[in-house]
Amino acid sequence: MTHGNVTTAKVRVDGSRVLHDDFLGVGVNVIPVAFMANNAAHGYEEAHWEIDRQRIAALRPKVARVWFQVDWMEPEKGVYDWERPQMQAFRAYLDAFREAGTEVELNFGWKVGRDIQEWFAIEGCEGRISAPRDLAAFAASCSAALRELIDRRGYDNIKYVAFYNEPNGHWDFDAPGDPREYYANMLRTVHERLVADGLRERVRIWGPEEVDMTWALYMKDHADEWIDEYTFHIYGGSYDDLSGQIAKRRDYVAPKPVGMTEFGWPHPEESGWDAGYANYVIQAANEGLHSALIWQLNGVRCEDPDEGVNTNGVFTLWDSVADGLAPNRSFYVASLLMRYIPPHSQVLATSASSPDVRASAFRSAEGDVTVVVECKDGARGVELEFANAPVGKTFHKFVYTDGIAPEDNALLPACAGRFDAEAGGFADEAPAGAGYAVAVYTTLSPLTQVEVTPARSSAVAGRTVALSARVIDGEGGVRWSVVGEGNGTIDAEGRYAAPEGIAAPRLVAVKAESASGSAGCGVALITVLP
């Protein structure tokens, strides 16, 4: 189809045909150790956390798989200490995800800290990655953690629990005999303990978090009654390969749902038309997966017993902000998928008139609709048709292209157009310009954002520095504030006055919040020098 000089592809959304009723959404994996000792030793401070927390609030991931080590809460067998520094650091992430409305998959059990290996690890297994020696004690620990976090701490967004990571490989789960049998026994033991403690109906068990399909098949045959959702990870496969990976698991474990709880690419330039963030989400939704979780949110330096492991530099949406503020380019496409695909949405049937266009459509319980359109060449036009269930709302358009240049504020792509769908559809003659592009059309309101300039600066104690702020996709000005006591002041015009009499350099976070009352916020870091 051609409009003038623009070749147009039609994307048809059939509102009467629901492919499945509950796509949980796009989420992330998180290693929650930024506040722990090894990261502090590499320069991470409280002020950096304001940046990370603001980005989590902007992305609003629909689910976060948050990794957890037993030694953080249990320094001695059967002795639980909820105020250990590791637990406080872990809870900072839970606070941020609760504020963002993010559901949490607690990945209980991962590496094994050195101080507990003597009693926790199985004799003959590698201590740092050993499966639990005492399954009953492990189940009691899991139950105690869920009780503490959900009931006593109020983290009722913890909806799912899983155990270890990729147990099929010898890197996170070492068990005697057939490790699949040991893993199945572990699931049964935890399930029974949660039932006995009245917690089983509060959380769904996900597993086995595999990259080897034989594990999913084994668990279906030997542990199905203890698993509510089967989870797998995939790296390196093409868009065409993904369909087969989904189908084999989905068809074998039915009617239980399947979730893709890890996927990603080491470097942003490896994600594109042949295999990429957008088309994996499109494929996952259209072929019945319950969720799609990106590996991983941000880079960190791991803690005991893996202090030498550094996840910065590959697979991250952004690296540790102690090392620099600009995110990776993958942040920008992932941000649109996380922010604007509604949680627990219906997936509607879509079709595209061109093989160079892919699409998926999502409808929330409130009737909002988001359509993700991936274009091999963004110069073509797109005509959206809503059949059998008119939307009758205004759509906002957001665009990702490989030409996006990362910047220190990590702003999500702003609204690039508005379209009236009251007539049953609309035409967008030029979604993105030449080259690979992803366009997101949604009836959800654009995120109001605040750009702060400069994002990083310095000031001598007792001196001032001028900051400015620009509101994007919103109206009005900003409210300035300084995070923390004794860190200086800032006036209504954005002039920051550094505190006097400090003896050592200090990193201070300054916030500019949208005065319109929306959630928009920008954060600047200022190094105050003696």
Side-chain angles (χ1 to χ4, degrees), residues 31-52:
I31 299 177
V33 299
F35 272 134
M36 296 187 193
N38 192 31
N39 288 272
H42 284 85
Y44 194 91
E45 302 183 37
E46 290 272 356
H48 292 122
W49 176 243
E50 293 300 323
I51 298 283
D52 283 335

Side-chain angles (χ1 to χ4, degrees), residues 53-128:
R53 186 167 67 176
Q54 180 270 334
R55 292 182 183 181
I56 289 171
L59 289 175
R60 196 178 288 172
K62 300 308 178 282
V63 62
R65 178 173 172 236
V66 184
W67 294 38
F68 187 86
Q69 291 185 191
V70 174
D71 56 281
W72 296 349
M73 58 167 271
E74 192 172 4
E76 301 176 41
K77 187 175 182 179
V79 177
Y80 309 132
D81 184 351
W82 309 115
E83 296 304 328
R84 300 193 80 208
Q86 296 96 321
M87 287 302 296
Q88 295 181 44
F90 165 71
R91 289 201 301 269
Y93 283 87
L94 293 189
D95 289 338
F97 288 123
R98 182 169 56 185
E99 293 167 3
T102 300
E103 294 182 348
V104 168
E105 174 197 358
L106 178 65
N107 201 95
F108 191 82
W110 175 32
K111 296 297 193 293
V112 184
R114 295 181 184 88
D115 288 347
I116 74 167
Q117 289 176 15
E118 182 178 357
W119 61 262
F120 185 92
I122 300 168
E123 186 175 355
C125 292
E126 184 179 347
R128 58 182 283 279

Side-chain angles (χ1 to χ4, degrees), residues 11 278 282 357-360 371-375 382 384 437-441:
V11 174
I282 288 171
V357 172
R358 303 177 181 130
S360 57
V371 184
V372 178
V373 179
E374 182 185 38
C375 300
V382 174
L384 270 73
V438 178
V440 174
Y441 302 92

Side-chain angles (χ1 to χ4, degrees), residues 1 26 109 120 153-154 198 260 264 377 445 507:
M1 186 183 301
V26 180
F120 185 92
R153 304 282 179 170
M260 183 170 63
D377 180 3
S445 298
L507 189 64

Side-chain angles (χ1 to χ4, degrees), residues 175-361:
D178 185 342
R180 298 175 302 178
E181 180 181 2
Y182 201 91
Y183 192 92
N185 287 333
M186 181 179 66
L187 293 178
R188 174 184 54 80
T189 306
V190 175
H191 163 85
E192 291 175 351
R193 180 59 187 251
L194 295 183
V195 170
D197 291 349
L199 288 168
R200 185 62 178 89
E201 293 183 356
R202 308 271 296 279
V203 293
R204 294 173 62 82
I205 290 179
W206 286 4
E209 301 293 349
E210 48 85 2
V211 289
D212 178 348
M213 196 182 309
T214 64
W215 272 68
L217 308 187
Y218 182 95
M219 295 303 152
K220 177 65 178 179
D221 293 339
H222 298 88
D224 189 56
E225 62 184 293
W226 311 310
I227 295 179
D228 298 308
E229 179 167 330
Y230 288 83
T231 53
F232 76 100
H233 309 163
I234 186 166
Y235 294 93
S238 69
Y239 171 84
D240 294 330
D241 291 339
L242 178 60
S243 182
Q245 294 287 336
I246 293 173
K248 291 175 183 177
R249 291 174 170 89
R250 180 196 63 212
D251 296 345
Y252 195 86
V253 306
K256 296 286 181 71
V258 178
M260 183 170 63
T261 48
E262 281 190 32
F263 74 101
W265 287 266
H267 304 287
E269 61 272 13
E270 296 177 19
S271 168
W273 176 258
D274 294 327
Y277 294 100
N279 56 61
Y280 264 45
V281 170
I282 288 171
Q283 186 101 294
N286 289 346
E287 301 209 8
L289 291 187
H290 187 222
S291 59
L293 276 62
I294 292 170
W295 177 263
Q296 63 173 318
L297 182 71
N298 60 319
V300 294
R301 288 153 175 100
C302 291
E303 299 284 332
D304 172 28
D306 276 359
E307 295 94 336
V309 176
N310 181 2
T311 72
N312 292 289
V314 292
F315 289 104
T316 61
L317 300 185
W318 66 88
D319 290 335
S320 172
V321 290
D323 299 337
L325 298 184
N328 294 315
R329 203 174 67 230
S330 52
F331 167 87
Y332 296 95
V333 63
S335 68
L336 296 180
L337 300 171
M338 285 187 209
R339 179 79 197 188
Y340 294 115
I341 294 178
H344 295 284
S345 55
Q346 294 179 326
V347 179
L348 306 177
T350 60
S351 60
S353 64
S354 168
D356 292 338
V357 172
R358 303 177 181 130
S360 57

